[in-house]
Amino acid sequence: MSLTSEETAQLTRQRWFVVIASCLINLCLGSMYAWSVFSPPMAAHLNALNGLTGAAALSGASLAIVFGLANIVGPIMTLCGGFLHDTFGPKKMIFIGGLIFSSGMFLSGLATNLTMLTLFYSIGIGTGTGFTYICTISNSVKLFPDKRGLIGGIITAVYGLSSVIMPPIAVALINSVGVVGAFKCIGVAFVVIICGCSFLVTK
C-alpha cells in the first residue's frame, strides 16, 4: 500500500525523533571516556577514606585499570547486546542498558575501595554501554535505508563528541559537589535521559 505525502512526512518526523533520542543516549554513554577527570579526585577520596599514604596511596594512574577493564567489558557486552537486541528489541535493551549504565555511575560514587570501584564502574558502565550502544546504531540505521551511512555517522559522531562535552561538565560538578556527588548526580541524570529516551525508540 502506497503512503500519502502526509503519511510519508509523518513517518519521516517519527524516525528523526528516534535519531535525536539515540543521539542523546549516546551522548550519555560516551561519558565513559571522561574517566581521566574522575580518576585523580577519586584516588584522593579513596586514600582519605582508607587512610592510605606513602607508597600505599592510590593515584590517578593507579586507577587506570578501572577504565581499561571497562573498555574490555564494553566490546564483549556489545556482542551480547547485539544478540539480545534481536531477541527482545531495542526499546527494552536500551532501557535495561540505561539502568545498568546509570547504576554503575551512581554506585561508583559509593565505592569505598578499588575493588568496589572496578566492579561498579568497569563492569556496570562497560555492560550498560555494550547493551545500549549497539541498539542505538542498528535501530536508527534500520529506519533510514536511504541514508544508512549518514545516520550511522551521526550516531557514532555524537558518541565521540561526548568525550569533549562531558569533561568540563564533570569538572564543574566535582568542583561544586565533590567527586562522590558528581558520580551520583550524573547517574541520576543519565537514568532519566537514557531510560526516558528509550520510550521514543521504535520496538
Side-chain angles (χ1 to χ4, degrees), residues 18 22 25 76-97 127-143 148 198 201-203:
V18 173
S22 297
I25 292 168
I76 294 173
M77 288 302 136
T78 297
L79 296 175
C80 298
F83 172 77
L84 294 172
H85 168 276
D86 294 336
T87 304
F88 299 105
K91 186 189 295 289
K92 289 181 181 178
M93 288 310 303
I94 289 174
F95 186 86
I96 294 170
T127 300
T129 300
F131 279 6
T132 308
Y133 178 70
I134 187 64
C135 294
T136 59
I137 294 181
S138 62
N139 185 64
S140 297
V141 168
K142 179 185 68 178
L143 295 175
R148 290 180 180 274
S198 72
V201 174
T202 55
K203 294 181 181 180

Side-chain angles (χ1 to χ4, degrees), residues 34-45 59-61 63-64 117 174 179 183:
W35 173 248
S36 60
V37 171
F38 290 102
S39 55
M42 194 59 185
H45 169 69
S59 65
L63 301 188
L117 182 62
I174 291 170
V179 67
F183 272 125

Side-chain angles (χ1 to χ4, degrees), residues 66 69 104 108 113-125:
V66 177
L69 185 57
S108 292
N113 54 57
L114 182 56
T115 301
M116 289 179 66
L117 182 62
T118 301
L119 176 65
F120 296 144
Y121 194 93
S122 303
I123 308 301
I125 289 180

Side-chain angles (χ1 to χ4, degrees), residues 48-200:
L49 202 61
N50 295 286
L52 300 177
T53 59
L58 297 171
S59 65
S62 302
L63 301 188
I65 188 175
V66 177
F67 180 67
L69 185 57
N71 276 285
I72 294 174
V73 173
I76 294 173
M77 288 302 136
T78 297
L79 296 175
C80 298
F83 172 77
L84 294 172
H85 168 276
D86 294 336
T87 304
F88 299 105
K91 186 189 295 289
K92 289 181 181 178
M93 288 310 303
I94 289 174
F95 186 86
I96 294 170
L99 284 178
I100 296 173
F101 183 92
S102 303
S103 297
M105 188 69 75
F106 185 91
L107 291 172
S108 292
L110 300 179
T112 58
N113 54 57
L114 182 56
T115 301
M116 289 179 66
L117 182 62
T118 301
L119 176 65
F120 296 144
Y121 194 93
S122 303
I123 308 301
I125 289 180
T127 300
T129 300
F131 279 6
T132 308
Y133 178 70
I134 187 64
C135 294
T136 59
I137 294 181
S138 62
N139 185 64
S140 297
V141 168
K142 179 185 68 178
L143 295 175
F144 286 84
D146 53 328
K147 298 181 176 66
R148 290 180 180 274
L150 173 64
I151 298 303
I154 290 174
I155 302 295
T156 304
V158 171
Y159 179 75
L161 188 63
S162 179
S163 64
V164 177
I165 295 175
M166 283 305 301
I169 295 175
V171 168
L173 281 172
I174 291 170
N175 291 337
S176 176
V177 298
V179 67
V180 170
F183 272 125
K184 293 179 179 179
C185 288
I186 293 173
V188 171
F190 282 2
V191 75
V192 172
I193 295 172
I194 299 175
C195 293
C197 284
S198 72
F199 291 101
L200 299 178

